[in-house]
Amino acid sequence: MAPAEEKYRRLPGRRRGVISGASLWMGQDHILMVKTAWFREEYKRFYLRDIQAIVVAPGARFYISIPVLVLALAWLFSGFFMAFWPTSVAIGWIAGTTAMLAAWLGVSIAAGCRCRLYTAVSKDELPSVFRTWTARRFLRQVQPLIEQVQGTVDAGWAEAERTSAGPLLHQGPGAMAPMERQPRSAAPSRTLASDLFALTLVVTSAVGLATVGSADIFWNRVNTALTIVQLAGAVVVLVQYSRGNIGKAMQRVAVVSMLLTGVTFYVQTFTFAIINGARIGSGLGPMAQVRPYVMVHQVTYGLNMLLGLISAVITLRGAYSDEPDIIKD
Amino acid sequence: MPVPCARCDSPLPLWELASASAAVCTSCGSRNTVRVFPSLFAAPTTPALPESALDGEAACFDHPSKRAVAACHQCGRFVCQLCSVEFGGQVWCPACVAAGKGSGKAVYLEPSRMLFDSIALTVPLASLIFWPITIITGPGTVVFSAMTWKRPLSLVRKSRWRFMVAILIGLAETIGWLWLVIYSWEQFRMGAGMGTNGSR
């Protein structure tokens, strides 16, 4: 008989909502899923011998835990006193708020995931595993324990299934884990669209850095047009990635460039509005160019240039190292 | 034995599982990370049928024509293959399982628990939002904590610090109210005394 009070070890992943929560715990021979609602805990046990598969799929997950919510409310509350702050502090607060919001959105979209655990008679989502890094840590801890109980599946099990030969099971430890199998030939690291996107990044940042101090409306329009082209390029790269036509490296560059453009847009808008608002309020006229505004643009163009160089490296590596495919042969 | 996509629950194609480190779902396009284990390939088990009892053989309590394979760990009744229920490494008869005998010990079967320590901690803290009700919740928390102190805690949290903090807060609120009452009474008495002296 199992001990009356079994000791549990916490597994990676925890979700703490306002009235509900979830966590995973490792028992002697089972994984315990704990779901909390108000003042009640509900338990579900997954015995290691019964677990058939664990599948993780990426997907946007928008969650705010209680600690983050409290911090966010405290931060936003401090904004009520903005009227008494010097301009630089106010700008910093707005920039910080925008950056935090962008970071949360970015993490929720790019690092969200859904993890499911399958047994012969159930398929349960693990609500506490909703970030990809948590899923990786969870799998790293749980997989060896399940394999200790069940043994391992041969790397080519799916191929064996396809050929109806049946999978080769290894009961002892030390067999090759399913995820250690050879990855399939990766998606190409470059396409024509990604090449153009990389070129746009470099051109946008070069033109922007050269004309950042200029108040000429012509250059303003050129920079805006180039930014729009760059965004369109990033969108095309993301579409190609979702179709499996391009590798992850370029997709990451596209995501970062989009985030950077979004953050810059909001920061410059707020900066401009606050500084000119303060100037008009104190009897001075509005300024066409303000120093923090120029600085934000310089930083953005600098980062864009860096992204352009990174994407150029990815492109060049892809050009010289892509394996020839059947069509080329 | 299909492995479903974690996002849309559609079966992942075998060629994806065979060839990819991340299996792309053909239905929703998600790139699933898949770990499979040998129990996926285990043939579904069919319930064992009880064998007929021969003359002189021990028979099942509920099915006298069937051979007994074990005795119930709780009540000692003989059970056939069909009636034997594996329960935490022991064999129980269906009647004992239904009656919930030993449920106090069978922690591993509990589907839920009430968190009395969390209630005890939340009540005195939440009542501070509308502080006059702390006159009830303060002493109430102390009494509630004492009454539920020995009730089982969460399966995974073993410490009773919530109870301790709740009792401290409850006591503080109670002492605060007592002080307020005594102070007010003293003030009232002094005021009444001064009023009496003044009238003289």
Side-chain angles (χ1 to χ4, degrees):
Chain A
M1 190 169 192
E5 288 291 328
E6 185 164 358
K7 286 229 160 98
Y8 285 98
R9 177 170 59 85
R10 182 188 286 285
L11 287 170
R14 188 174 190 184
R15 195 171 135 192
R16 282 185 290 190
V18 178
I19 54 166
S20 63
S23 56
L24 287 166
W25 300 76
M26 191 73 227
Q28 249 182 351
D29 57 353
H30 63 273
I31 295 169
L32 181 75
M33 179 167 76
V34 181
K35 282 185 186 174
T36 315
W38 293 105
F39 300 111
R40 191 165 197 85
E41 270 186 355
E42 288 182 0
Y43 308 115
K44 185 152 190 179
R45 294 160 182 82
F46 303 101
Y47 286 87
L48 298 179
R49 62 171 184 268
D50 299 332
I51 296 171
Q52 292 191 333
I54 300 174
V55 185
V56 181
R61 305 298 296 272
F62 300 94
Y63 284 125
I64 299 182
S65 64
I66 286 186
V68 173
L69 185 69
V70 169
L71 284 176
L73 287 176
W75 176 268
L76 290 175
F77 181 74
S78 69
F80 284 118
F81 304 98
M82 198 189 286
F84 307 104
W85 296 345
T87 312
S88 58
V89 177
I91 293 168
W93 187 89
I94 290 165
T97 308
T98 314
M100 282 191 281
L101 187 66
W104 176 71
L105 278 173
V107 166
S108 298
I109 293 167
C113 75
R114 202 172 288 277
C115 182
R116 280 182 195 259
L117 191 149
Y118 297 94
T119 66
V121 292
S122 68
K123 46 183 177 185
D124 289 271
E125 186 176 337
L126 308 178
S128 57
V129 182
F130 59 92
R131 294 278 177 255
T132 48
W133 54 76
T134 313
R136 272 197 294 273
R137 281 193 298 138
F138 171 70
L139 287 174
R140 257 204 307 273
Q141 289 197 22
V142 163
Q143 190 180 355
L145 297 171
I146 300 172
E147 285 175 353
Q148 223 171 26
V149 173
Q150 293 192 25
T152 55
V153 181
D154 187 69
W157 69 272
E159 191 58 43
E161 280 292 304
R162 284 180 72 192
T163 55
S164 305
L168 182 62
L169 308 181
H170 300 281
Q171 293 304 321
M176 193 175 172
M179 291 311 294
E180 288 165 1
R181 63 197 170 203
Q182 288 295 313
R184 69 172 164 182
S185 55
S189 56
R190 57 178 286 265
T191 59
L192 180 64
S194 75
D195 291 354
L196 290 175
F197 169 61
L199 186 69
T200 321
L201 276 173
V202 175
V203 171
T204 307
S205 48
V207 173
L209 281 172
T211 61
V212 72
S214 167
D216 193 341
I217 194 76
F218 170 76
W219 287 115
N220 196 359
R221 283 177 183 164
V222 166
N223 281 327
T224 306
L226 283 171
T227 307
I228 290 169
V229 172
Q230 181 193 313
L231 278 174
V235 170
V236 172
V237 167
L238 289 181
V239 169
Q240 287 193 332
Y241 172 75
S242 71
R243 289 179 178 170
N245 296 334
I246 196 164
K248 195 157 185 68
M250 199 54 96
Q251 177 251 5
R252 283 182 176 162
V253 174
V255 168
V256 173
S257 87
M258 287 178 89
L259 280 175
L260 191 63
T261 309
V263 170
T264 310
F265 175 74
Y266 282 104
V267 170
Q268 80 175 37
T269 308
F270 277 114
T271 314
F272 207 68
I274 284 173
I275 292 179
N276 273 340
R279 283 178 66 87
I280 292 166
S282 58
L284 300 165
M287 288 172 76
Q289 285 281 46
V290 285
R291 199 174 148 76
Y293 174 91
V294 174
M295 225 167 66
V296 166
H297 271 243
Q298 280 172 335
V299 170
T300 309
Y301 289 134
L303 289 173
N304 258 337
M305 179 63 87
L306 187 67
L307 283 178
L309 292 175
I310 290 170
S311 53
V313 170
I314 294 167
T315 304
L316 290 173
R317 275 180 62 190
Y320 288 105
S321 67
D322 272 356
E323 287 174 16
D325 59 22
I326 297 165
I327 298 167
K328 280 179 190 167
D329 289 342
Chain B
M1 55 217 57
V3 178
C5 168
R7 193 168 175 191
C8 69
D9 223 17
S10 307
L12 292 168
L14 275 173
W15 68 83
E16 279 293 337
L17 293 164
S19 62
S21 56
V24 179
C25 175
T26 47
S27 184
C28 69
S30 289
R31 296 169 69 84
N32 289 264
T33 303
V34 181
R35 301 281 194 278
V36 293
F37 303 101
S39 68
L40 180 68
F41 309 102
T45 52
T46 49
L49 293 174
E51 292 174 23
S52 298
L54 301 173
D55 280 346
E57 278 189 321
C60 173
F61 180 85
D62 290 320
H63 305 102
S65 62
K66 303 297 177 191
R67 182 189 293 165
V69 292
C72 173
H73 193 267
Q74 290 294 314
C75 65
R77 285 174 182 173
F78 284 2
V79 287
C80 64
Q81 190 71 53
L82 193 65
C83 294
S84 69
V85 181
E86 274 195 38
F87 192 77
Q90 300 172 346
V91 174
W92 284 28
C93 70
C96 285
V97 174
K101 281 188 183 171
S103 58
K105 289 183 281 178
V107 170
Y108 48 88
L109 287 180
E110 275 184 87
S112 65
R113 271 188 185 181
M114 186 63 85
L115 305 174
F116 292 103
D117 56 340
S118 294
I119 297 173
L121 183 60
T122 307
V123 168
L125 285 175
S127 60
L128 287 173
I129 297 169
F130 187 64
W131 65 268
I133 60 168
T134 55
I135 194 167
I136 300 163
T137 57
T141 300
V142 178
V143 173
F144 179 80
S145 300
M147 282 173 66
T148 55
W149 180 270
K150 287 196 173 172
R151 298 288 285 271
L153 294 169
S154 157
L155 264 185
V156 290
R157 295 192 319 232
K158 304 293 179 196
S159 166
R160 292 185 194 274
W161 69 265
R162 283 179 177 77
F163 271 137
M164 290 182 223
V165 175
I167 288 171
L168 286 177
I169 295 171
L171 280 175
E173 286 175 358
T174 310
I175 291 167
W177 275 107
L178 282 174
W179 176 82
L180 190 68
V181 168
I182 293 167
Y183 178 78
S184 305
W185 175 248
E186 288 294 322
Q187 290 293 311
F188 174 75
R189 273 182 58 194
M190 279 171 65
M194 279 174 69
T196 313
N197 291 339
S199 66
R200 279 177 189 172

